[in-house]
């Protein structure tokens, strides 16, 4: 934040340019880098000091955009490399996505796949610094997700082809509290479909399947560290890579990179089944410990349950009576209301004007209409035209809202044209410009800007136009309510809040209510589906920007996503036609047992009586394992167990230590159909499955069942059968 605020000041005078051969920027970048390195050294945190930090990074993904900077970009990268290595951290430095990273900087790969990546020197290791486990959510966008089978495929392929280091982005999702989101238009939720979700809950089967993958790669460690892979083609789209270092160290990876059909291959005299778009890992070059397309891990289904109501439902169908809160309110004045207003000729760019102290900037102008300017008065409608760099805009004439506009994640700019009726004499035009996260990536992102930069014009009859762009405007940074601390950061008396005639569906309203912390320890969220756009605070802490009135497009989603084939951020989408984000995380650590304060600033209009609290609770556990799945990884604990050729196992475990499996909702051995929460029997099904699973699992926190005809009998000979189970856990 220090560098950013200083840069804003310098940029106004044309001194500083970000991420190029610009001395003011380099001076501050070096000062910041040195400060961070010194803090780490003081705490003995680098591996060279016996600490846990094994790598340092300078710059990030500059190689994706450096061509826009020309020769100055190359000079900057060389300088950054020299400056970084001069810090003497005692650990290697990396540059992500920088193919020309100068020695000794290690260039690394970021992306969904990095198996084809090659470092720029054979003296440098093949490193994957960001494996994108999902994708971020934008306001107005569909919710993206990435199947774990594809992530596991990508990781296995990377190590299959000589990779030595792999890191996830993100492994745990989070929340962009306050104004911490990048952007523009990145949502408050940064769940990212990560293995650990925004609320800190393990997302299954993603977490468990990747855990099995990591354990399988770990079993190959001795061979991977001692040898380079040798490649063998097993047929079209079929590959084998073997790491062998003497008779005792051998590991192999078998891949089917085709997207259409499963294949059976022969390797070292043995036959192996390879599903399409999958990799099998053989830590001893013989037995399969893991296949990326065959998930042994359990599946957890969580529900968002309304608090203080017996009604439970998925979020998409919540329709019960909201939690009753007693609300009070204060209006936010339209236009200039603060003493720190200032005047300037012409229209100012917003980011440099506000210095990110607020999302809001008021532009205000008074214009006088003479009696002979009849083209703008006497009931004749004039057209107000406003050009803005974004991100949202509300126009008021004489205190009344006349129009609003918003950009989107693809194009932040706003063009607003609206018809207005002016009156003879003085007319006040107030424009409220709103940012929704600041640009933080891309070439020259520091120059993108925001706000009303024009033109601003009135056009009357016969196309007679008045250009207001260069007139003297009055400016106000932020809201009056922010100055007064209405968000909970002041001791403002409750008597100044009104509790009568609560306005709804009106813009620029502050709302406040008190509540007690819900019992239990389940994660808590606010369902703000009844609101429009604004920001929310709990006990003075901002839980972030909200915008449930901005829904995603109706098309582009499907009930399932085929993991086979290359993934991109638009491949697997859900939540079409729904608010991009409706639930907003409220950390329990921010709340006291009683007397918490919730404050909302509603920018466009909503009904606070329609919001309510929800908690994230476990719905059910599922698993589906076939006879062709690998046997449990703990079979590799000893050579003797591995040679037993244990059958696959279906394993279930309730997430909380005080829970047990209370009932079996579904169990079928044969050809079950559907997915977790929607299983059904197929044409082939054992009659004993439900009873057997009930006897083995009911009353226990965890259980395991062998998946074989020896356990359940054989209801359909000659068919590869699977066991599908869904259970409930309770205290």
């Amino acid at each position: 934040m220090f560098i950013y605020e200083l840069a804003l000041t310098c940029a106004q005078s044309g001194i500083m340019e970000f991420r190029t051969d610009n001395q003011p920027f380099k001076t501050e970048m070096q000062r910041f880098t040195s400060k961070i390195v010194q803090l780490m050294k003081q705490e003995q945190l680098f591996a060279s000091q016996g600490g846990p930090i094994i790598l340092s990074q300078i710059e990030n993904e500059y190689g994706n955009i450096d061509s826009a900077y020309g020769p100055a970009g190359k000079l900057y990268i060389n300088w950054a490399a020299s400056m970084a290595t001069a810090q003497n951290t005692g650990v290697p430095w990396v540059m992500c996505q920088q193919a020309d990273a100068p020695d000794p900087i290690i260039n690394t790969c970021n992306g969904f796949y990095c198996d084809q990546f090659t470092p720029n020197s054979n003296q440098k290791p093949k490193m994957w610094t960001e494996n994108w486990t999902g994708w971020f959510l934008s306001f107005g966008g569909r919710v993206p997700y990435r199947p774990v089978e594809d992530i596991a495929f990508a990781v296995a392929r990377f190590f299959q082809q000589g990779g030595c280091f792999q890191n996830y982005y993100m492994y745990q999702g989070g929340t962009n509290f306050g104004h911490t989101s990048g952007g523009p238009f990145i949502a408050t939720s940064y769940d990212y479909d990560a293995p650990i979700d925004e609320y800190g809950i393990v997302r299954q089967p993603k977490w468990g399947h990747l855990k099995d993958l990591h354990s399988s790669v770990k079993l190959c460690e001795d061979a991977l560290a001692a040898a380079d892979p040798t490649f063998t083609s097993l047929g079209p789209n079929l590959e084998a890579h073997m790491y062998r270092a003497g008779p005792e160290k051998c590991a192999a990876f078998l891949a089917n990179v085709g997207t259409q059909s499963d294949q059976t291959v022969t390797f070292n005299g043995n036959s192996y089944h390879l599903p399409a778009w999958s990799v099998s890992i053989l830590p001893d070059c013989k037995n399969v410990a893991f296949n990326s397309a065959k998930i042994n891990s359990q599946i957890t289904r969580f529900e968002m349950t309304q608090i203080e109501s017996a009604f439970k439902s998925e979020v998409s169908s919540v329709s019960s009576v909201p939690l009753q809160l007693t609300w009070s309110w204060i209006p936010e004045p339209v236009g200039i209301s603060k003493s720190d207003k200032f005047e300037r000729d012409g229209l100012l760019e917003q980011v440099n004007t506000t210095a990110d102290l607020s999302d809001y900037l008021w532009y205000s102008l008074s214009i006088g209409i003479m009696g002979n300017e009849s083209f703008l008065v006497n009931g004749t409608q004039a057209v107000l035209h406003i050009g803005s760099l974004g991100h949202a805009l509300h126009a008021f004439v004489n205190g009344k809202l006349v129009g609003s506009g918003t950009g989107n994640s693809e194009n932040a700019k706003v063009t607003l044209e609206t018809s207005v009726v002016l009156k003879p004499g003085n007319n006040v035009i107030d424009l409220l410009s709103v940012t929704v996260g600041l640009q933080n990536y891309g070439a020259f992102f520091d120059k993108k800007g925001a706000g009303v930069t024009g033109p601003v014009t009135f056009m009357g009859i016969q196309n007679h136009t008045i250009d207001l762009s260069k007139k003297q405007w009055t400016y106000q940074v932020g809201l009056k309510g922010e100055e007064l601390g209405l968000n909970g950061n002041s001791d403002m008396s409750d008597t100044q809040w009104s509790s009568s005639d609560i306005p709804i569906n009106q813009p620029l309203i502050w709302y406040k209510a008190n509540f007690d912390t819900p019992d239990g320890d389940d994660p808590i969220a606010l369902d703000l589906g009844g609101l429009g756009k604004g920001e929310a605070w709990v006990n003075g802490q901002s839980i972030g920007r909200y915008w449930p009135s901005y829904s995603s497009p109706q098309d582009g989603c499907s009930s399932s996503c085929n993991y086979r084939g290359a993934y991109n951020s638009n491949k697997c989408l859900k939540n079409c036609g729904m608010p991009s984000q409706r639930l907003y995380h409220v950390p329990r650590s921010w709340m006291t047992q009683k007397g918490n304060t919730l404050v909302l600033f509603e920018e466009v209009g909503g009904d606070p009586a329609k919001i309510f609290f929800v908690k994230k609770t476990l719905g059910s556990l599922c698993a589906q394992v076939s006879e062709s799945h690998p046997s449990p990884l703990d079979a590799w604990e000893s050579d003797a167990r591995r040679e037993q050729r244990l059958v696959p196992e279906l394993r279930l475990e309730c997430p909380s230590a005080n829970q047990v499996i209370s009932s079996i909702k579904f169990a079928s051995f044969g050809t079950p159909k559907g997915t977790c929460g929607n299983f059904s029997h197929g044409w082939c099904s054992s009659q004993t499955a439900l009873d057997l699973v009930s006897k083995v699992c009911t009353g226990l926190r965890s259980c395991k069942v062998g998946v074989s005809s020896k356990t359940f009998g054989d209801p359909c000979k000659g068919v590869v059968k699977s066991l599908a189970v869904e259970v409930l856990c309770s205290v």
Side-chain angles (χ1 to χ4, degrees), residues 381-384 402-403 417-421 458:
Q381 287 191 337
V383 176
L384 174 61
V402 297
E417 283 194 352
T418 183
S419 297
V420 300
V421 177
F458 269 122

Side-chain angles (χ1 to χ4, degrees), residues 492-556:
M492 185 175 179
S493 172
D494 283 344
T495 60
Q496 296 176 264
W497 292 78
S498 174
S499 58
S500 61
D501 299 323
I502 304 297
I504 62 172
N505 300 323
Q506 294 184 27
L508 305 186
I509 303 292
W510 293 85
Y511 297 102
K512 184 173 75 169
N514 295 321
F515 68 95
D516 296 335
T517 300
D519 294 335
D521 56 7
D522 294 313
I524 299 296
L526 271 171
D527 186 327
L528 301 182
L531 300 182
K533 179 183 183 297
E535 188 171 351
W537 295 263
V538 171
N539 294 334
Q541 299 263 25
S542 174
I543 65 172
R545 303 178 181 96
Y546 65 80
W547 203 347
S549 62
Y550 201 171
S551 294
S552 65
Q554 294 284 347
D555 60 346

Side-chain angles (χ1 to χ4, degrees), residues 4 14 73 102-103 126 159 182 196 224 311 342 374 404 415 452 516 524 531 548 575 615 659 692 704 712 718:
Y4 188 68
D103 295 340
K126 180 174 180 175
F159 286 106
I196 302 174
L224 295 179
F311 180 86
F342 60 94
S374 60
S404 297
T415 299
V452 180
D516 296 335
I524 299 296
L531 300 182
N575 212 46
K615 60 183 177 180
Q659 292 179 320
L692 193 151
K704 53 187 177 181
F712 296 97

Side-chain angles (χ1 to χ4, degrees), residues 379-401:
T380 302
Q381 287 191 337
V383 176
L384 174 61
H385 173 96
I386 307 167
S388 170
L389 296 177
H391 308 142
L393 174 67
H394 309 291
F396 299 81
V397 174
N398 297 325
K400 295 184 178 180
L401 180 67

Side-chain angles (χ1 to χ4, degrees), residues 676-705:
C676 183
N678 192 35
F679 284 133
S680 62
H681 294 281
W683 65 270
C684 164
S685 182
S686 169
Q687 299 299 311
T688 64
L690 182 61
D691 288 342
L692 193 151
V693 172
S694 296
K695 291 177 182 178
V696 172
C697 296
T698 303
L700 301 177
R701 183 191 176 193
S702 62
C703 65
K704 53 187 177 181
V705 181

Side-chain angles (χ1 to χ4, degrees), residues 567-612:
Y567 178 82
N568 63 69
S569 59
N570 292 314
K571 180 179 179 180
C572 303
L573 302 169
K574 57 186 179 181
N575 212 46
C576 282
M578 304 291 290
S580 297
Q581 184 178 353
R582 178 172 161 179
L583 301 180
Y584 294 80
H585 181 204
V586 183
R588 283 186 175 270
S589 61
W590 289 10
M591 297 181 283
T592 57
Q593 186 174 359
K594 292 184 177 297
N596 300 285
T597 301
L598 169 63
V599 175
L600 309 169
F601 173 63
E602 177 51 55
E603 179 185 318
V604 301
D607 185 354
K610 293 182 179 179
I611 75 171
F612 48 86

